[in-house]
Amino acid sequence: MRCQFPNPGDTQLTQVIWIFERTDTERSNIAVFHPSYGVSYPSTSPLSGRVSFMTNPPPLYNPSIQIKDVKMTDEGRYICEYASYPSGNEQGISLLVMLAKPRNTARSVSVTASKTPVVVAHCESFGGRPAAAISWSTALNGNVSTPVMTNTQDNTVNVQSTYMLAPQAEDNGKDISCTVTHRTMSQPEVFQMKLVVEYPPVVQIRGYDNNWYKGRTSAFLICQADGNPVPTTVTWKTLSGLMPETVQVQENRLAVQNVDDTINTTFICEVRNSLGYGRDQVTIVVKEQAPPNTNAGVIVGVIFACLLVVLLIGGLTYFLISHNRRQQHGYRGTGKPTGTPYDSITRLFGSAKSSKNGTGNNGNNNTPIYRGEVGINEKSANQGMHPGGMALLETTHTHTAEDILLSREMDEVERKKFDELEEEDERYDHFTGGGPILQLRPHDDDIDDDMESQRDGSVISRTAVYV
């Protein structure tokens, strides 16, 4: 404790006394210094043997003291008082505050379910200075008791708090927490707890679905029980006192191998623990026959299958219509057919000169034609004239492997011709007339230039035909 009298001036300092004041009514001298008589430490002081001046002897203008082995009882006011002349006594006061970190504990209390509120949890703080603060956190509908504080001989404080509740069976195992806050702790101390509520068994029988009929097999009842302490005994009974022969008891499970008229009874399940017992019962009504099976599943399956078939038919129809339209449009810009394959094996033959002279086209573009290859002799023998002016051709020649290979060599040449005519093809692709159009594109050269000799002596036309 520091004490100074700076710049005394004309004031004469004659003596200094340290006084300890624990309460307003309890004062004692703990250290005295007189320049002529020296230092004195009264033996009756509560700090005797633990207090001393910083220097020995101390200067009158700075008689500071020190205390060792500080105790909680050392808390109080320390007064440094000067005896001076001519002003009289002068004093300065220092306040010593002692802090003590408490020891905190919490615990739940095992209780029995009841309608009367009882203490279900304790929370305590021991030896704190100043007193600790205690709070509770829980979803339970209970009450916190008024904290009790007691002072100890070493000037610390004990705080006790309890939580009260009318415990029910459903409260067992629920969470509750206690929080202790104190000035000496960097953060509050939290205690997590679970309530312990003991109660007799609560019993319920499950498994009966109101559909027990004669001849039914593998029917069963389950006795479900909940209690604290854990139930130890399960007993099955019937209201008549006799257990049917077709029934097997397996602890909490009652199995019926075959349902008959003897099952028309009331089954009772009793469960016990150390606090008592609980029971439940169910009355079985056996029906004469099983309920009719519903065809809901079959109907749903049939509907689903019909929808699937409709979707498949719709998709197939769309594909066929689209395919047919591509066949009617004929060749695209790629030079390959979109419908029926077209290659050098199958060609279209027509009279180029007739087209040039105007005798081969009388305005009827719907004239049928026959695909094939004919020789020169066959042409003169078999060619007839359609009323529309277009030659009707029949195929009488049987193609050989050599013919096919030679004719395929012409594919690339024809594809290139179709590529050059791509823009003009669009007009025929988008034709919207009343029927299919047969359009012959004659070469600018004579018919002889249009014909192409084959290895078998026949000739074919290289004229492109569009439909």
Side-chain angles (χ1 to χ4, degrees), residues 294-307:
T294 61
N295 295 325
V298 177
I299 294 174
V300 172
V302 171
I303 294 175
F304 180 78
C306 292
L307 291 175

Side-chain angles (χ1 to χ4, degrees), residues 61 66 407:
Y61 63 87
Q66 61 183 4
S407 62

Side-chain angles (χ1 to χ4, degrees), residues 65-213:
I65 62 173
Q66 61 183 4
I67 301 172
K68 62 181 180 180
D69 299 332
V70 178
K71 299 179 181 179
M72 294 301 301
T73 54
D74 295 339
E75 181 178 282
R77 298 202 308 169
Y78 289 80
I79 304 171
C80 176
E81 186 175 270
Y82 278 93
S84 63
Y85 180 84
S87 61
N89 293 342
E90 299 285 348
Q91 65 179 20
I93 300 174
S94 295
L95 182 63
L96 177 62
V97 177
M98 298 298 297
L99 300 178
K101 185 177 181 179
R103 304 181 312 275
N104 308 313
T105 61
R107 70 184 190 280
S108 60
V109 181
S110 180
V111 297
T112 302
S114 68
K115 297 181 180 180
T116 303
V118 295
V119 175
V120 296
H122 285 278
C123 193
E124 300 170 331
S125 178
F126 298 101
R129 183 71 179 176
I134 297 177
S135 60
W136 294 88
S137 176
T138 181
L140 299 170
N141 188 20
N143 297 305
V144 179
S145 65
T146 302
V148 178
M149 301 183 186
T150 57
N151 295 319
T152 63
Q153 294 181 352
D154 61 357
N155 208 25
T156 59
V157 182
N158 297 338
V159 183
Q160 296 179 333
S161 180
T162 58
Y163 195 88
M164 303 186 69
L165 176 72
Q168 304 299 316
E170 56 271 18
D171 295 331
N172 183 51
K174 289 190 175 179
D175 295 328
I176 185 172
S177 63
C178 162
T179 302
V180 180
T181 305
H182 193 265
R183 181 177 174 182
T184 61
M185 299 187 302
S186 59
Q187 59 185 6
E189 188 172 3
V190 180
F191 297 90
Q192 299 285 351
M193 297 169 285
K194 290 187 179 295
L195 292 187
V196 180
V197 181
E198 296 182 344
Y199 55 94
V202 178
V203 183
Q204 188 174 18
I205 298 177
R206 297 186 178 275
Y208 180 57
D209 57 1
N210 293 316
N211 188 31
W212 287 27
Y213 51 87

Side-chain angles (χ1 to χ4, degrees), residues 267-346:
F267 291 94
I268 303 171
C269 178
E270 290 185 355
V271 182
R272 293 181 177 273
N273 67 2
S274 60
L275 295 180
Y277 77 96
R279 61 180 289 170
D280 189 23
Q281 65 183 37
V282 60
T283 300
I284 306 298
V285 177
V286 178
K287 299 179 180 179
E288 290 295 327
Q289 59 184 359
N293 294 329
T294 61
N295 295 325
V298 177
I299 294 174
V300 172
V302 171
I303 294 175
F304 180 78
C306 292
L307 291 175
L308 184 60
V309 170
V310 170
L311 291 175
L312 290 175
I313 293 175
L316 182 60
T317 303
Y318 175 80
F319 173 77
L320 292 177
I321 292 174
S322 176
H323 184 70
N324 186 48
R325 288 177 179 176
R326 287 197 298 270
Q327 282 185 328
Q328 292 179 1
H329 289 167
Y331 281 86
R332 299 299 182 191
T334 60
K336 297 181 181 180
T338 60
T340 303
Y342 181 90
D343 56 21
S344 59
I345 299 175
T346 305

Side-chain angles (χ1 to χ4, degrees), residues 33 96 135 149 158 172-173 178 216 228 234 239 356 380 402 406:
F33 172 65
L96 177 62
S135 60
M149 301 183 186
N158 297 338
N172 183 51
C178 162
R216 177 175 175 175
N228 187 25
V234 179
L239 199 61
K356 291 180 181 180
S380 60
E402 185 177 10
L406 291 174

